[in-house]
Amino acid sequence: MAEDRREELAGLDHLLERIGQAPRRDERVQLGDMLTAVGQGSFGSLLLVPGVITLLPLVGDIPGVPTLMALLVLLVAGQLLLGRRTFWLPQWLLKRSVSRSKLDKAVAWMRKPARAIDRLLKPRLTWLTQRAGTYLVAIFCFLIALAMPLMEVVPFSANGAGLALMMFGLSLMANDGLWALLALILTGGTVGGVAYALL
């Protein structure tokens, strides 16, 4: 489905703009159309979309959305860990959709903080975003995705998972290992918090 290569995205704000431009079908937007609009050329871009969707208000809070995004991450991260150079996703998952009105409102709400985030991104600690570092990121994303269905019963924890996935995606796209390191810490805190709440 997509080659595992780096694709130039101007940043999170650019990603949100592309998501907003995804074609609508009966006032709904399909996941596959969002991925196509963003570009499916790298592991980073395929992490950004589920991360942003899970983090967005009005969209990420819809029951079942975090679990669907978790499945997307599991498939992509799992295929990367198996050494695949292309990513395959099932059509039934790509055809899942959200309301265009909710998506537009959520994207508009996030545009301003996205611009602030983009100004903080720069290449550093690149050993965390290249070669072996990419596999470490994939392992942590796989673990996040495994925990996400449980997060639907723990308030705000799915949003924490979405933030971590978004940070991992941005770190890979911008070659910014500091964001990957922060996402690793956030992942541990989020998963630990969910485990504490459920036990």
Side-chain angles (χ1 to χ4, degrees), residues 9-158:
L9 270 178
L12 181 57
D13 185 52
H14 190 201
L15 174 116
L16 291 171
E17 180 181 353
R18 287 190 180 184
I19 288 177
Q21 293 172 349
R24 67 186 67 194
R25 302 168 190 263
D26 298 323
E27 295 306 314
R28 298 187 67 82
V29 183
Q30 292 186 357
L31 175 60
D33 290 331
M34 284 187 259
L35 291 173
T36 299
V38 168
Q40 305 162 9
S42 73
F43 181 45
S45 64
L46 287 171
L47 285 179
L48 271 172
V49 172
V52 168
I53 290 174
T54 307
L55 182 61
L56 286 175
L58 302 176
V59 177
D61 297 328
I62 299 173
V65 167
T67 298
L68 283 172
M69 294 304 100
L71 181 57
L72 170 58
V73 174
L74 282 173
L75 287 170
V76 174
Q79 289 175 71
L80 179 69
L81 291 170
L82 290 173
R84 287 181 59 92
R85 298 189 62 186
T86 59
F87 299 117
W88 170 85
L89 294 172
Q91 284 298 313
W92 69 263
L93 178 61
L94 295 174
K95 289 181 179 179
R96 298 304 297 240
S97 63
V98 298
S99 163
R100 162 60 75 176
S101 62
K102 287 185 177 181
L103 183 64
D104 286 345
K105 289 177 183 178
V107 167
W109 175 86
M110 198 167 176
R111 291 294 294 273
K112 187 174 180 178
R115 296 185 188 105
I117 290 171
D118 287 341
R119 289 193 290 269
L120 299 174
L121 294 168
K122 61 181 180 181
R124 52 193 160 183
L125 300 178
T126 55
W127 59 273
L128 273 171
T129 58
Q130 297 177 354
R131 300 181 181 88
T134 302
Y135 288 94
L136 178 64
V137 168
I139 290 170
F140 271 80
C141 290
F142 196 88
L143 294 175
I144 292 172
L146 286 176
M148 283 174 70
L150 295 175
M151 293 179 184
E152 295 213 36
V153 299
V154 180
F156 307 113
S157 60

